[in-house]
Amino acid sequence: MDRSAVAAALVRAATAMENNPKFTADEAVRVAIFGHPKAHPGFGHGGDLFDQVTGTLRDACAWPTARIDDIPQAQAITAAYAEARRLTAP
């Protein structure tokens, strides 16, 4: 896992949610990585990073399912920033 890439994507996702209250955590991660809330990873085009970021966010929120759509936005924002700090700590 590229910790700095995951951390940067988490910060971009949190920022996207702060800037657009309608974004789900899933949409925000898609914006952070692919530039569009409905984009899908293509072969060799961000799929691994997408999986790592969504997995990190899901684990940080102790979310019980693989889908992160329903994580409350405030919880996702807080978790994304906290995990980004943890991943970049010395």
Side-chain angles (χ1 to χ4, degrees), residues 8-37 57 73-74 76-77 80-81:
L10 286 166
V11 169
R12 288 192 307 271
T15 302
M17 286 185 278
E18 289 173 331
N19 291 335
N20 188 336
K22 293 183 180 182
F23 278 162
T24 66
D26 180 75
E27 291 170 327
V29 171
R30 291 175 190 278
V31 166
I33 297 172
F34 307 117
H36 191 276
L57 189 56
Q73 195 181 60
I77 291 168
Y81 282 131

